[in-house]
Amino acid sequence: MPILLLMVSLIVFFLGVYGPGDPIEVQLGNNYDEESADRIREKMGLNDPVFVQWFNYVRNAAVGDFGESYVFKNREVSELLIPKLIVSAKLNIISFFIAIIIGTPLGFYAAVNNGNFKDPIVVIFSLVFYAMPVFFTAPFLILIFALQLDLVPAAGWGGVFDKRIILPALTIGVPGAAVFVRLIRSSMIEVLDTDYVKLARAKGVSESKVLWKHAFRNGMLPVVTIMGFSLAGLFGGSLIVEILYGIPGVGRISLDSVYSRDYPVIMAIVLLGSSALVVANLIIDFLYTLVDPRIELQ
């Protein structure tokens, strides 16, 4: 994990150093003059060798200090990002639970009804919901539920218990549910065709016990992987959704930072995202042992 994060930090840092745009010009803008530029360059350590700059950056980042933003004067990157991370995490957690609550029973239902007309109906609907792009579903939901029916506000952010979270959470959660439907369905169909399930049925074990005790638990193993990576994306933000619904999350500040070449903010977002992905992998390995006791952590 530390080696992976070091590699990511090295790549991102060098992209920031050798990428387009001068941090001094970004900070000073129209007020650029040589004296101010030299002062800021010395303050930021830009006169040091690039590997020294990288080492100092990693050392500070390890304790949560990602430096100052180039664009927002005298503002720490962590001070800018933490509120955005919290907003994106809240939105994505609600969306994640919507995906689980809708996708798990539908996937299970489709697998149990494999071979009759109910299965393809569920599959077709899941494919339709998965295929619809966000820039179509978001305006569609706004038009129907906000403008026509006037049930919820069209945009804005007020937290988890505010009605304004409903539409963006559905916009993210429904395609996520379609993924769970397809994954759980295929996994359950495979498990239901195994010898130990057939043996349990041959012994006269009730169908409900076969499904819940023998099939469902083993069928959830692939799902755990997707759940883990979904959790890793909780803090990543959803760029298009946040822009369309006017949500002040990580997605919006990521886009603004790229346009303004605010490299400290971009590097912090990439490093935090990479860290979340690595931690998610560890959580997935741990969850495997809970779902299937035959798997051991080494």
Side-chain angles (χ1 to χ4, degrees), residues 40 151 178 182 294:
I40 293 177
L151 294 176
R182 297 185 62 192
R294 295 172 298 178

Side-chain angles (χ1 to χ4, degrees), residues 16-17 21-28 40 44 46 70 261 263-264:
V17 171
D22 182 356
I24 307 300
E25 293 179 358
V26 173
Q27 286 204 32
L28 293 177
I40 293 177
M44 295 173 62
L46 298 180
Y70 289 168
R261 294 171 179 170
Y263 289 121

Side-chain angles (χ1 to χ4, degrees), residues 118-141:
K118 299 173 184 175
D119 176 29
I121 290 176
V122 175
V123 171
I124 289 172
F125 271 101
S126 67
L127 287 174
V128 169
F129 285 125
Y130 180 71
M132 285 195 298
V134 170
F135 53 79
F136 170 78
T137 54
F140 178 77
L141 291 175

